[in-house]
Amino acid sequence: MTQTLTGPAALTRLTEDEALFRDSVYEFADKEIRPLSREMDEHAKMSRELIDKLFELGIMGIEVPESHAGAGATFFHSVLAVESLSRVDPSIGVLVDVQNTLVINAILRWGSEQIKHRYLPKLASSTIGAYCLSEAGSGSDAFALTTRAVEKGDGYALTGRKLWITNGNEADLFIVFATMNPEAGYRGITAFLVDRGMAGFTVGKKEDKLGIRASSTCELLFEDCVVPRSAVLGEVGKGYKVAIETLNEGRIGIGAQMVGLAQGALDHTVKYVKERKQFGKPIAEFQGVQFELARMALDVEVTRLLVYNSARLRDAGQPFLTEAAMCKVYSSEVAERVASMAINLHGGNGFVKEYPVEKLYRDAKIGQIYEGTTNMQLMTIAKGILG
């Protein structure tokens, strides 16, 4: 007698479409990104030719509707893309992550029809976006902004300085958060769309970073930069809602980046221990090595479950705030732990740049810092528990 199983599919059970998409993105990453990864890391610069290929692949506008020249896919597809790219190079993973989970997501949710018509086709085909919230005095205290917006003529004049802006060098569109009424606290914040090249707007220095070096992180300078009223994203004074809701989803994207990184570190390590011989046999045959590999694989799989669960909840329209915070915390810790063990199992080779695991270890550290530090996420989780 044949028994038919019913009920929900496993979280990691992908549909045929999802599996084909994931595999095609990873195949692209393995063929096109891997040969460039070390050079881009050393020179701290992303290949423009590679960026053009990302657009051609269709992964720079995953959730953009087909009516606006996008792929018309789901948030979960974005997560799969970021994971697959980060398995090879997390710098490329975060470029695609910010584009899809922050910039495009914010415009889809908060943009007027005019804004969507103007920007979404560009973002899907050629334009990179950046999300500009952080300042020198507003990191975890995200809404302690000093960048000001004041009414001027038929628009608003922006003045201030943003720091640590991902995609700053490559972007042509910037979502900029500024306060119109400092006395009103977070209720005084508004989100604006700013195009590169506008008078009064300058992309400043690029940071020299420990990891994800090919991904540009820049300061932005605004000095009486006048934008039209049509450049307001959402409503005046509701910028905090734009920020909060998009960052919640962005944290799932970072979770995808970190699980991809961890999987990449595990991939390299499995290959290495099968080839490296000591005492007359591959070190993969030693039980101590096997135990460490097993723990690495366990960490990766648990992390993937957390990330996929959060993404599935988001696509289903279910609450996912606590789950997103959990996947952000755990994935960033796992990425560092797995990458560290990868170096250990590579021995001395793991400590030199000839082998890729030292780069992944450097890349992992940012996961506990950006898009909400670990302590901030733990606070969110605690609030969810305590009610």
Side-chain angles (χ1 to χ4, degrees):
M1 179 178 177
T2 302
Q3 183 178 10
T4 302
L5 298 178
T6 60
L11 283 174
T12 53
R13 181 80 54 83
L14 303 183
T15 66
E16 184 177 351
D17 169 68
E18 291 168 345
L20 181 62
F21 177 78
R22 177 201 60 191
D23 294 344
S24 66
V25 174
Y26 179 69
E27 182 180 351
F28 169 86
D30 193 43
K31 178 182 177 182
E32 301 289 347
I33 299 175
R34 197 179 298 281
L36 302 175
S37 183
R38 182 177 175 185
E39 180 182 358
M40 291 192 297
D41 180 71
E42 288 180 352
H43 295 286
K45 186 174 182 179
M46 199 171 292
S47 163
R48 182 65 222 193
E49 182 181 358
L50 178 57
I51 292 173
D52 292 340
K53 290 180 180 179
L54 292 170
F55 279 108
E56 291 171 10
L57 188 63
I59 58 174
M60 297 299 279
I62 294 173
E63 286 189 86
V64 174
E66 293 179 3
S67 59
H68 288 299
T74 66
F75 179 78
F76 190 74
H77 282 89
S78 296
V79 164
L80 291 174
V82 173
E83 178 188 3
S84 297
L85 294 169
S86 300
R87 189 174 166 188
V88 173
D89 192 336
S91 292
I92 308 300
V94 77
L95 169 82
V96 174
D97 175 40
V98 169
Q99 178 87 349
N100 285 282
T101 71
L102 293 183
V103 176
I104 288 174
N105 182 27
I107 292 176
L108 283 171
R109 179 173 299 182
W110 297 98
S112 64
E113 288 306 312
Q114 177 187 0
I115 284 175
K116 291 177 183 178
H117 181 74
R118 178 180 178 185
Y119 287 111
L120 289 179
K122 294 180 181 178
L123 288 165
S125 61
S126 60
T127 296
I128 293 174
Y131 193 85
C132 315
L133 179 61
S134 296
E135 297 180 8
S138 62
S140 293
D141 186 4
F143 298 128
L145 303 182
T146 60
T147 298
R148 290 294 308 274
V150 297
E151 293 191 57
K152 185 171 184 178
D154 294 329
Y156 300 93
L158 307 182
T159 300
R161 177 172 174 249
K162 296 291 182 179
L163 289 181
W164 311 303
I165 305 304
T166 301
N167 297 352
N169 250 13
E170 298 80 16
D172 286 312
L173 175 65
F174 300 79
I175 298 178
V176 180
F177 294 86
T179 181
M180 295 184 64
N181 181 8
E183 290 72 30
Y186 69 90
R187 295 186 182 276
I189 295 170
T190 300
F192 299 90
L193 294 172
V194 180
D195 294 302
R196 181 184 285 271
M198 296 187 77
F201 170 42
T202 306
V203 176
K205 71 168 185 175
K206 184 177 72 171
E207 301 294 346
D208 188 8
K209 307 194 302 288
L210 170 73
I212 58 167
R213 289 174 51 79
S215 167
S216 66
T217 303
C218 303
E219 70 169 348
L220 308 180
L221 305 171
F222 301 90
E223 187 174 349
D224 199 30
C225 174
V226 179
V227 298
R229 291 185 183 275
S230 60
V232 172
L233 183 62
E235 301 176 35
V236 172
K238 295 296 179 66
Y240 71 95
K241 288 182 66 68
V242 177
I244 288 173
E245 295 189 15
T246 48
L247 285 171
N248 288 338
E249 291 164 335
R251 285 169 189 137
I252 303 174
I254 298 303
Q257 181 198 27
M258 292 293 112
V259 74
L261 187 161
Q263 181 66 61
L266 178 59
D267 293 342
H268 289 300
T269 306
V270 169
K271 181 176 183 293
Y272 182 82
V273 298
K274 288 180 177 179
E275 296 172 350
R276 172 67 169 169
K277 290 185 177 181
Q278 291 286 276
F279 304 102
K281 60 182 178 180
I283 63 173
E285 295 183 18
F286 292 100
Q287 191 176 63
V289 171
Q290 293 173 0
F291 285 172
E292 297 299 348
L293 288 172
R295 289 188 180 279
M296 293 166 74
L298 175 61
D299 271 345
V300 171
E301 186 64 11
V302 171
T303 304
R304 184 173 286 115
L305 288 168
L306 284 169
V307 173
Y308 284 15
N309 182 55
S310 301
R312 297 287 197 196
L313 287 172
R314 187 273 188 186
D315 276 341
Q318 299 295 317
F320 64 89
L321 174 62
T322 300
E323 289 79 5
M326 286 180 171
C327 88
K328 169 69 166 57
V329 171
Y330 196 76
S331 67
S332 61
E333 293 176 350
V334 161
E336 184 176 345
R337 186 160 65 238
V338 170
S340 177
M341 182 51 64
I343 290 177
N344 289 355
L345 291 179
H346 276 71
N349 286 326
F351 203 67
V352 297
K353 291 184 180 295
E354 181 180 351
Y355 287 78
V357 289
E358 65 84 27
K359 175 186 179 299
L360 292 176
Y361 183 64
R362 289 186 286 108
D363 289 347
K365 190 62 207 178
I366 190 61
Q368 297 178 46
I369 299 170
Y370 64 4
E371 295 219 25
T373 64
T374 292
N375 281 348
M376 295 303 293
Q377 302 315 303
L378 292 173
M379 287 174 61
T380 298
I381 296 167
K383 289 177 182 177
I385 295 170
L386 297 172

